């Protein structure tokens, strides 16, 4: 596996539903090794586009994107995570 450290993958997605959140976890060579986690709070009951510029920390080999809803329903659509050329 190649090292992903340092590249900026822009994340974007559409969501509706207050109270939920998205997490992007940057993982080391083992899935249980979370180097850094970025949280994006979902704050709209209407469809909203969320985007975040991300920089993978040094030592990142993979990423995990998770969505959470805490006693609320959330809808997610059009998820995009693109690696741009260095």
């Amino acid at each position: 596996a190649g090292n992903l450290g340092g590249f900026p993958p822009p994340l974007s997605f559409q969501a509706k539903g207050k109270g939920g959140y998205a997490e992007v976890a940057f993982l080391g060579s083992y899935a249980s090794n979370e180097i850094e986690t970025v949280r994006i709070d979902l704050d709209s009951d209407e469809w909203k586009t969320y985007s975040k510029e991300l920089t993978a920390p040094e030592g990142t080999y993979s990423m995990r994107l998770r969505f959470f809803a805490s006693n609320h329903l959330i809808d997610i659509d059009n998820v995009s995570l693109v690696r741009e050329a260095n």
Side-chain angles (χ1 to χ4, degrees):
N3 190 320
L4 301 178
F7 80 87
L11 167 68
S12 68
F13 60 91
Q14 293 177 319
K16 71 175 181 176
K18 286 184 180 177
Y21 61 96
E23 271 187 359
V24 179
F26 295 98
L27 308 173
S29 56
Y30 298 97
S32 61
N33 178 20
E34 284 194 22
I35 298 170
E36 181 180 328
T37 302
V38 176
R39 179 177 164 146
I40 302 164
D41 291 315
L42 306 181
D43 59 5
S44 177
D45 284 327
E46 302 298 321
W47 282 106
K48 178 179 175 181
T49 299
Y50 295 84
S51 62
K52 180 86 172 166
E53 290 290 328
L54 302 169
T55 300
E58 196 60 41
T60 298
Y61 281 84
S62 63
M63 297 166 53
R64 180 179 297 140
L65 175 60
R66 302 176 281 209
F67 292 94
F68 297 91
S70 143
N71 297 326
H72 303 285
L73 293 176
I74 60 172
D75 293 307
I76 308 295
D77 201 3
N78 299 320
V79 177
S80 174
L81 181 64
V82 179
R83 179 177 181 166
E84 293 182 348
N86 293 359

